[in-house]
Amino acid sequence: DPPGGRLLPAAIAAKFEALFRRNFSTATAGGWERAVTAPNDKQHYLHVDTYLPTYKAWIFLNVTVEDGPFAYVRGSHHASVPKLRWLFERTRHLTSTRAMPRASPHFYAARGPFEEATFGYEASLRFPGADPDDAAATAAALRAANLERPTLLTGSRALAVVADTSGLHMRARQAPGRVRTQILPPIPLLPRLPPADP
């Protein structure tokens, strides 16, 4: 078990409870999990979960680049011109339910850069040209859309990540034999709104 036992440390739980309307001490009672990611997990492909701001939280323990950390394209949660242009181009062919491509039965077997023709379609929009095995190809595809390369979030202690998943994100590849220690609080999370002006 991680130092301090299986439960979320009280200091981290208190910070999450101050930000979100939820008791994180009990919400994470399942404790730390040791995650080994399948090589063909679709979460390795850069994607957005939704068009609207939605928050998810992850808490990692001693996560390194080799452990398969969370990766995020900084600023991609903003409704910037490059982001809106990408969303428009990415979805403009989806004009009716008949136009929606079917999910591919080969999604989990396919490798290489994401292309809808190969992988099929699903609601979490994947970024065409991004390849979890080729950082240079991913960076080039993002640069062509005027977006930054993903930042890998690592830390030598407990690392709490709260991300707006309307931004581009992914789970980076794990090195063989590596394990990621994490707690995944219930999702989605909505931030506490400031009090209304009188």
Side-chain angles (χ1 to χ4, degrees):
D1 284 350
R6 291 188 49 78
L7 297 182
L8 183 63
I12 294 176
K15 288 180 181 180
F16 272 97
E17 288 168 10
L19 184 61
F20 298 102
R21 296 183 205 124
R22 196 164 294 198
N23 180 335
F24 275 81
S25 299
T26 57
T28 58
W32 297 95
E33 70 171 337
R34 295 172 53 78
V36 177
T37 307
N40 54 357
D41 186 342
K42 64 184 177 179
Q43 297 301 319
H44 293 307
Y45 283 89
L46 205 55
H47 64 282
V48 297
D49 289 355
T50 180
Y51 302 103
L52 301 173
T54 303
Y55 299 86
K56 290 185 180 178
W58 297 261
I59 301 151
F60 303 104
L61 187 65
N62 301 326
V63 68
T64 68
V65 170
E66 294 78 22
D67 296 326
F70 180 79
Y72 197 87
V73 175
R74 290 180 189 265
S76 64
H77 62 297
H78 293 298
S80 64
V81 171
K83 166 82 176 290
L84 294 175
R85 184 174 290 123
W86 172 73
L87 282 172
F88 175 76
E89 293 298 332
R90 180 70 181 84
T91 59
R92 66 189 298 179
H93 65 288
L94 307 174
T95 56
S96 70
T97 53
R98 276 182 280 152
M100 300 288 276
R102 300 242 182 251
S104 169
H106 308 294
F107 193 106
Y108 289 98
R111 297 296 289 264
F114 178 85
E115 297 300 336
E116 200 168 83
T118 305
F119 291 83
Y121 173 82
E122 71 165 23
S124 293
L125 293 175
R126 268 42 189 189
F127 196 91
D131 185 343
D133 296 314
D134 189 340
T138 298
L142 288 163
R143 193 168 44 251
N146 291 314
L147 295 165
E148 293 185 29
R149 69 173 56 222
T151 298
L152 302 178
L153 300 177
T154 61
S156 60
R157 300 179 64 177
L159 173 67
V161 175
V162 178
D164 178 349
T165 58
S166 70
L168 288 159
H169 61 284
M170 67 180 191
R171 180 182 302 138
R173 289 256 189 238
Q174 267 178 328
R178 298 299 295 227
V179 174
R180 184 178 55 257
T181 304
Q182 62 190 19
I183 288 180
L184 306 175
I187 51 176
L189 301 172
L190 300 175
R192 187 173 62 188
L193 299 175
D197 290 333

